[in-house]
């Protein structure tokens, strides 16, 4: 399996990876081309960029951290895809200072919106980087998962605070600046001119199950992965997911 599929990492990325891979395969078939141009905003060390490059696609990673880009370069070289991965320093708000507008078949915006000053602008820029009918893969922190985690840890006041906080934060010590509901994310995407194709809940159970159980119980990891995949598509579980994944397609100018 690819990079995101390492045993422990797979619990965090399996659902998103399978959905993304299928979307890229569909786009390859529709375009009649084996290689797509993919932009990974905030792609860091290449958790998704390198596996996407292994599929044969050309990937540009935009990230503000020089250290992350250095690690990306090394990781791509070790995976034998250095010729298909390019890292550039920048961020989503200044995206078109470093990449081409309308130049990509797919854009990944994973773990970015939580940290930007203006999420709506971030989504618009991601969409504007797409070619007509391009695919957007958006992954962001979910509000419900954080509330549930704080409550189960016995931090009931913090859980209540997150419920009422406009940014979905449980307090000043919260390391995540902003969280979203599925409705908020789909509204942001739709307003930016993307037709939502699917919404998935990510890490619905994985963050709640003791690690020792997953590591020591025979078959537990595979069973949990199957459970995560089954629950991801059910709207009832979106409200308690640690992360939310939205997949969509850029609409034409006449439909925006």
């Amino acid at each position: 399996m690819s990079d995101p599929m390492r045993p422990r990492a797979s619990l965090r990325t399996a659902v998103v990876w399978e959905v993304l891979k299928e979307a890229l395969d569909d786009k390859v078939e529709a375009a009649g081309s084996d290689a797509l141009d993919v932009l990974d905003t905030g792609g860091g060390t290449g958790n998704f960029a390198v596996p996407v490059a292994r599929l044969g696609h050309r990937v540009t990673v935009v990230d503000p951290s020089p250290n992350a880009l250095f690690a990306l370069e090394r990781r791509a070289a070790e995976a034998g895809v250095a010729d298909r991965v390019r890292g550039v320093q920048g961020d989503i708000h200044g995206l078109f200072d470093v990449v081409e507008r309308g130049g990509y078949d797919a854009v990944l915006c994973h773990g970015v919106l939580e940290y930007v000053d203006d999420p709506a602008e971030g989504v618009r820029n991601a969409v504007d980087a797409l070619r007509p009918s391009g695919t957007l893969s958006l992954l962001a922190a979910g509000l419900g998962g954080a509330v549930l985690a704080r409550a189960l840890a016995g931090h009931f006041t913090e859980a209540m605070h997150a419920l009422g906080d406009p940014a979905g934060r449980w307090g000043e010590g919260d390391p995540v600046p902003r969280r979203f509901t599925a409705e908020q994310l789909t509204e942001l995407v739709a307003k930016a001119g993307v037709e939502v194709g699917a919404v998935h809940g990510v890490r619905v159970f994985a963050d709640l199950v003791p690690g020792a159980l997953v590591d020591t119980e025979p078959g537990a990891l595979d069973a949990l992965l199957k459970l995560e995949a089954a629950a991801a598509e059910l709207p009832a579980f979106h409200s308690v997911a640690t992360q939310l994944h939205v997949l969509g397609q850029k609409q034409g100018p006449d439909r925006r």
Side-chain angles (χ1 to χ4, degrees), residues 110-184:
H110 295 174
V112 173
L113 295 190
E114 298 94 322
Y115 300 96
V116 298
D117 293 332
D118 187 345
E121 182 190 359
V123 174
R124 286 195 301 269
N125 284 351
V127 174
D128 286 345
L130 285 168
R131 291 171 178 153
S133 299
T135 296
L136 175 68
S137 175
L138 180 68
L139 181 68
L143 170 63
V147 173
L148 183 61
R150 300 317 288 175
L152 290 178
H155 303 299
F156 307 121
T157 301
E158 291 179 349
M160 179 66 78
H161 188 280
L163 271 178
D165 185 64
R169 303 184 76 228
W170 46 257
E172 290 188 6
D174 193 337
V176 179
R178 185 181 288 104
R179 294 184 179 86
F180 302 87
T181 64
E183 291 75 18
Q184 288 171 333

Side-chain angles (χ1 to χ4, degrees), residues 3 46 49-51 53-54 72-85:
D3 254 16
V50 169
R54 281 178 175 161
L72 166 71
E73 183 178 354
R74 183 176 57 200
R75 189 174 191 173
E78 291 173 351
V81 294
D83 59 327
R84 294 197 292 274
V85 176

Side-chain angles (χ1 to χ4, degrees), residues 15-249:
V15 168
V16 179
W17 173 247
E18 292 303 324
V19 171
L20 177 62
K21 183 179 181 300
E22 183 178 354
L24 293 176
D25 289 346
D26 289 346
K27 186 151 289 295
V28 163
E29 184 176 349
S33 171
D34 291 337
L36 304 175
D37 292 308
V38 179
L39 175 65
D40 188 354
T41 64
T45 61
N47 286 340
F48 281 91
V50 169
V52 168
R54 281 178 175 161
L55 298 177
H57 306 306
R58 298 175 292 268
V59 187
T60 299
V61 175
V62 175
D63 196 277
S65 168
N67 291 337
L69 293 174
F70 177 77
L72 166 71
E73 183 178 354
R74 183 176 57 200
R75 189 174 191 173
E78 291 173 351
V81 294
D83 59 327
R84 294 197 292 274
V85 176
R86 179 174 73 102
V88 292
Q89 190 172 357
D91 60 37
I92 192 75
H93 285 315
L95 190 60
F96 301 114
D97 294 335
V98 294
V99 301
E100 178 187 358
R101 189 183 296 269
Y104 297 90
D105 301 297
V107 171
L108 282 55
C109 185
H110 295 174
V112 173
L113 295 190
E114 298 94 322
Y115 300 96
V116 298
D117 293 332
D118 187 345
E121 182 190 359
V123 174
R124 286 195 301 269
N125 284 351
V127 174
D128 286 345
L130 285 168
R131 291 171 178 153
S133 299
T135 296
L136 175 68
S137 175
L138 180 68
L139 181 68
L143 170 63
V147 173
L148 183 61
R150 300 317 288 175
L152 290 178
H155 303 299
F156 307 121
T157 301
E158 291 179 349
M160 179 66 78
H161 188 280
L163 271 178
D165 185 64
R169 303 184 76 228
W170 46 257
E172 290 188 6
D174 193 337
V176 179
R178 185 181 288 104
R179 294 184 179 86
F180 302 87
T181 64
E183 291 75 18
Q184 288 171 333
L185 286 179
T186 54
E187 182 179 359
L188 282 172
V189 167
K191 284 184 176 179
V194 167
E195 182 177 0
V196 176
V199 179
H200 293 86
V202 180
R203 290 157 58 190
V204 174
F205 307 105
D207 291 351
L208 304 177
V209 176
L213 187 155
V214 177
D215 292 334
T216 60
E217 188 72 19
L221 177 62
D222 287 340
L224 181 54
L225 284 169
K226 290 177 182 177
L227 179 61
E228 287 280 354
E233 299 185 17
L234 301 177
F237 289 98
H238 295 168
S239 60
V240 294
T242 298
Q243 292 177 304
L244 296 163
H245 182 242
V246 178
L247 189 76
Q249 181 172 297

